[in-house]
């Protein structure tokens, strides 16, 4: 741009105004150049972690005891992601793998410290198990993960026809607290830190050897891993 005497541009603006305009144009150009840069690929999720853990007998499971593959779920009854998994994926896994005898499905407790009602819910499920209603109360609580306060749990138990005096006495005794803590310790040994998390693999003596899977993934993500594990067991 040509300038007149006294620092006034030929078009009637000052030198400072001209510099400001040029700086603004440069800034706009930098923004446009950044927008045209190719997007960086998103980071891939971490690969499944291989694990080998001591696997305590007992607890609650579905499917054949001698199924070639074991799938353990570490759950928190107050966890919204556990609810999501059960609403979208669990029934398909049960129908296609557990009910067909190819997978044994094991429930483990992993109540998270910041969920006020999770540990009480874990104890309640076990107390319902004394009356043959573990899986039913488990389902009711996970389906209502945002409503597992004590009064609601008692309502769910009543709807299932439990002997409420016996159920209440079991809860007050706290006799399953040690077993809940044992589940938590087992989960931590497998590297579990959040819920839902899973260990999927084969039993080798008293050890479960396989992979740790984290999160409420879609059914197909589990199915592909289950198929691989079943194939490897042959």
């Amino acid at each position: 741009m040509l300038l007149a005497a006294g620092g006034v541009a030929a078009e009637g603006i000052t030198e400072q105004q001209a510099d400001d305009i040029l700086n603004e144009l440069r800034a706009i150009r930098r923004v446009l150049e950044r927008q045209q840069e190719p997007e960086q690929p998103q980071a891939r999720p971490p690969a499944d972690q291989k694990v080998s853990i001591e696997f305590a007998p007992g607890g609650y499971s579905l499917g054949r005891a001698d199924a070639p593959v074991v799938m353990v779920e570490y759950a928190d009854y107050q966890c919204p992601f556990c609810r999501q998994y059960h609403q979208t994926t669990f029934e398909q896994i049960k129908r296609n793998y557990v009910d067909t005898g190819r997978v044994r499905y094991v429930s483990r407790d992993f109540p998270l410290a910041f969920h006020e009602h999770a540990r009480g819910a874990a104890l309640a499920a076990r107390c319902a198990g004394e009356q043959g209603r573990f899986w039913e109360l488990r389902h009711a609580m996970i389906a209502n993960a945002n409503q597992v306060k004590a009064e609601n749990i008692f309502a769910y138990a009543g709807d299932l026809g439990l002997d409420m005096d016996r159920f209440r006495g079991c809860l007050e005794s706290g006799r399953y607290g040690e077993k809940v803590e044992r589940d938590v310790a087992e989960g931590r040994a497998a590297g579990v830190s959040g819920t839902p998390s899973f260990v999927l693999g084969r039993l080798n003596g008293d050890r479960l050897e396989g992979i740790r899977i984290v999160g409420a993934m879609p059914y197909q993500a589990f199915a592909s891993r289950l198929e691989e594990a079943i194939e490897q067991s042959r």
Side-chain angles (χ1 to χ4, degrees), residues 19-209:
D19 289 341
D20 291 342
I21 292 171
L22 288 173
N23 289 333
E24 183 71 16
L25 290 171
R26 292 189 186 104
I28 293 171
R29 181 179 178 179
R30 287 194 294 270
V31 170
L32 292 173
E33 287 174 344
R34 285 197 297 269
Q35 290 177 344
Q36 292 171 359
E37 292 176 355
E39 292 186 4
Q40 296 298 317
Q42 293 183 351
R44 294 182 179 179
D48 300 329
Q49 181 71 42
K50 290 185 178 180
V51 296
S52 176
I53 58 171
E54 284 191 35
F55 187 72
Y60 290 91
S61 66
L62 297 170
R64 282 173 38 193
D66 61 347
V69 171
V70 175
M71 181 173 178
V72 183
E73 179 189 359
Y74 295 91
D76 173 310
Y77 292 102
Q78 202 175 341
C79 168
F81 302 107
C82 294
R83 178 177 59 187
Q84 177 185 334
Y85 162 76
H86 277 266
Q87 290 176 335
T88 60
T89 303
F90 171 71
E91 286 299 331
Q92 293 181 78
I93 291 175
K94 181 177 180 297
R95 180 171 61 251
N96 295 331
Y97 291 97
V98 179
D99 294 346
T100 58
R102 296 189 290 167
V103 172
R104 175 186 171 199
Y105 197 95
V106 180
S107 172
R108 293 292 202 239
D109 291 314
F110 202 86
L112 300 171
F114 57 85
H115 282 157
E116 179 183 0
H117 307 295
R119 191 174 187 279
L123 296 174
R126 292 172 182 268
C127 287
E130 290 188 349
Q131 301 184 46
R133 290 289 186 272
F134 171 83
W135 291 100
E136 291 86 347
L137 186 58
R138 183 183 195 271
H139 171 76
M141 291 190 295
I142 289 181
N144 297 279
N146 60 338
Q147 301 180 51
V148 288
K149 294 185 294 186
E151 57 265 34
N152 292 331
I153 291 174
F154 279 106
Y156 304 146
D159 291 342
L160 292 172
L162 297 186
D163 179 330
M164 296 306 294
D165 288 338
R166 181 180 172 189
F167 180 71
R168 185 175 289 103
C170 174
L171 283 174
E172 291 174 352
S173 74
R175 58 176 166 265
Y176 290 110
E178 185 176 338
K179 291 187 176 181
V180 170
E181 294 308 316
R182 185 182 67 184
D183 282 6
V184 171
E186 181 187 280
R188 286 177 176 158
V192 172
S193 59
T195 55
S197 288
F198 308 84
V199 172
L200 188 160
R202 292 171 291 168
L203 284 175
N204 183 5
D206 63 350
R207 299 194 70 81
L208 179 60
E209 299 175 345

